[in-house]
């Protein structure tokens, strides 16, 4: 009787160079009674400017609690990063990896066309199954996280063909070639009791789920990242309460089971 869509990738799907692909993506919710998205800006934009309803609602990533460790694991690594480099679009992630390589680090990635050379030089884990990836994340004290997508000129032009694109808050810094995207990394770090060290950006979407200074730490830019990591390591006991705060919040609010209960309560 109720049709629910979980659309976790937003605002991806709205920046294709193919205009019709973007329009099709905007229309995905039409057969459904409710749609859960992880982008509050896209939720507001589609509800107000397109559907003129409250069909879109805020969700979270569905991460299975049965893979979450119940015991503390020895932290044998200082810091990690998980993701691709996208060298053809930005130097930001490249600079993150080079910064963490000054420490006892992990770098987890996939092998994609623009990433192969860099991965071969720095990666400590390539194409790991998610369960194994989590086991390695939980050995790290810190995870560096950035919740941004870096766009090509063609993708920016694709956005600007959307109806009312300028009313979408995620598109208000296109001159910087960036839009926000909440990724799984913060949730994965929280579940595995690894401190979230999050790049501050114009949107800071992570604050919809976790609280800065309570559950995680911000860093300003890649030029200071190495010094921020060293300061955290030097004062580790100061940050361990944040790890427990984030873990307790994640295990009580952001598991698959908790998300399904939220859907049942709000939409069924």
């Amino acid at each position: 009787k109720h049709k629910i869509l979980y659309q976790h990738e937003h605002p991806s799907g709205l920046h294709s160079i193919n205009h019709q692909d973007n329009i099709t993506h905007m229309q995905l919710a039409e057969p459904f009674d409710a749609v859960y998205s992880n982008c509050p800006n896209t939720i507001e934009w589609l509800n107000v400017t397109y559907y003129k309803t409250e069909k879109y609602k805020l969700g979270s990533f569905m991460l299975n609690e049965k893979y979450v460790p119940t015991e503390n694991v020895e932290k044998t690594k200082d810091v990690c990063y998980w993701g691709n480099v996208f060298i053809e679009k930005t130097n930001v992630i490249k600079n993150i990896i080079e910064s963490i390589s000054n420490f006892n680090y992990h770098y987890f990635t996939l092998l994609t066309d623009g990433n192969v050379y860099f991965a071969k030089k720095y990666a400590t884990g390539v194409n790991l199954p998610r369960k194994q990836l989590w086991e390695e994340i939980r050995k790290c004290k810190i995870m560096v996280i950035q919740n941004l997508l870096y766009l090509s000129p063609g993708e920016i032009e694709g956005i600007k063909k959307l109806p009312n694109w300028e009313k979408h808050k995620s598109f208000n810094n296109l001159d910087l070639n960036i839009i926000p995207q909440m990724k799984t990394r913060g949730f994965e770090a929280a579940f595995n009791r690894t401190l979230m060290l999050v790049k501050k950006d114009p949107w800071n979407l992570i604050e919809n789920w976790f609280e800065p200074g309570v559950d995680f730490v911000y860093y300003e830019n890649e030029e200071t990242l190495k010094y921020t990591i060293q300061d955290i390591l030097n004062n580790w006991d100061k940050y361990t309460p944040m790890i427990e705060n984030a873990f307790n919040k994640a295990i009580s609010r952001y598991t698959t089971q908790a998300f399904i209960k939220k859907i049942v309560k709000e939409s069924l």
Side-chain angles (χ1 to χ4, degrees):
K1 294 182 180 180
H2 295 86
K3 298 180 293 295
I4 311 296
L5 175 64
Y6 174 47
Q7 197 173 357
H8 62 82
E9 76 281 22
H10 282 147
S12 281
L14 300 173
H15 57 80
S16 171
I17 60 174
N18 185 315
H19 178 62
Q20 187 53 50
D21 285 350
N22 293 331
I23 296 300
T24 299
H25 197 87
M26 290 176 65
Q27 296 170 342
L28 287 178
E30 290 182 1
F32 295 91
D33 299 299
V35 183
Y36 283 82
S37 167
N38 295 337
C39 179
N41 296 338
T42 302
I43 291 169
E44 179 183 16
W45 182 68
L46 286 172
N47 279 345
V48 172
T49 70
Y50 192 77
Y51 287 99
K52 297 179 172 55
T53 66
E54 294 185 355
K55 178 176 284 196
Y56 272 89
K57 304 175 188 295
L58 186 65
S60 64
F61 288 101
M62 293 196 285
L63 301 176
N64 197 323
E65 54 271 18
K66 78 178 184 179
Y67 298 119
V68 175
T70 55
E71 72 288 343
N72 285 311
V73 174
E74 183 183 1
K75 300 292 187 182
T76 58
K77 296 287 186 179
D78 295 328
V79 61
C80 66
Y81 183 82
W82 150 220
N84 289 340
V85 181
F86 303 107
I87 293 174
E88 70 279 9
K89 293 183 178 181
T90 180
N91 285 323
V92 169
I93 304 171
K94 170 180 175 288
N95 293 337
I96 290 173
I97 306 308
E98 289 175 342
S99 292
I100 70 169
S101 70
N102 290 282
F103 300 91
N104 184 10
Y105 79 101
H106 260 322
Y107 168 43
F108 312 109
T109 189
L110 308 174
L111 278 185
T112 57
D113 290 344
N115 200 45
V116 175
Y117 169 77
F118 201 85
K120 286 181 177 177
K121 183 177 180 180
Y122 288 102
T124 60
V126 177
N127 294 332
L128 295 181
R130 192 56 62 107
K131 187 172 182 290
Q132 184 182 351
L133 174 67
W134 279 27
E135 290 170 356
E136 295 303 319
I137 288 173
R138 107 187 25 138
K139 297 174 184 176
C140 304
K141 289 184 174 181
I142 304 164
M143 180 190 280
V144 179
I145 297 164
Q146 55 87 37
N147 294 304
L148 293 171
L149 291 174
Y150 301 88
L151 303 182
S152 67
E155 290 171 320
I156 292 173
E157 288 307 308
I159 287 173
K160 291 183 177 180
K161 293 177 183 177
L162 291 171
N164 298 306
W165 70 269
E166 67 283 355
K167 294 183 180 179
H168 195 311
K169 292 176 183 176
S170 291
F171 302 151
N172 58 13
N173 281 280
L174 292 182
D175 56 317
L176 300 176
N177 298 336
I178 57 173
I179 57 176
Q181 184 191 45
M182 190 62 196
K183 299 181 174 69
T184 60
R185 279 48 148 187
F187 295 89
E188 291 175 302
F191 276 122
N192 287 286
R193 285 189 166 100
T194 297
L195 180 69
M196 291 180 272
L197 180 55
V198 182
K199 180 179 174 66
K200 200 165 192 180
D201 62 53
W203 301 275
N204 298 321
L205 295 185
I206 193 171
E207 293 184 20
N208 288 276
W209 296 272
F210 298 101
E211 185 177 348
V214 176
D215 305 316
F216 71 92
V217 180
Y218 275 129
Y219 77 94
E220 296 289 338
N221 53 61
E222 285 62 55
E223 288 73 25
T224 61
L225 177 58
K226 181 169 69 172
Y227 305 105
T228 304
I229 293 170
Q230 189 62 64
D231 181 69
I232 292 171
L233 294 173
N234 290 345
N235 299 279
W236 182 240
D237 290 346
K238 172 183 173 183
Y239 295 93
T240 51
M242 291 188 191
I243 295 171
E244 290 305 307
N245 290 341
F247 173 81
N248 291 331
K249 191 168 288 184
I251 203 68
S252 62
R253 300 182 189 180
Y254 306 134
T255 62
T256 302
Q257 194 172 66
F259 189 21
I260 296 302
K261 287 180 179 178
K262 172 182 167 74
I263 291 173
V264 170
K265 180 179 179 180
E266 294 178 349
S267 301
L268 299 184

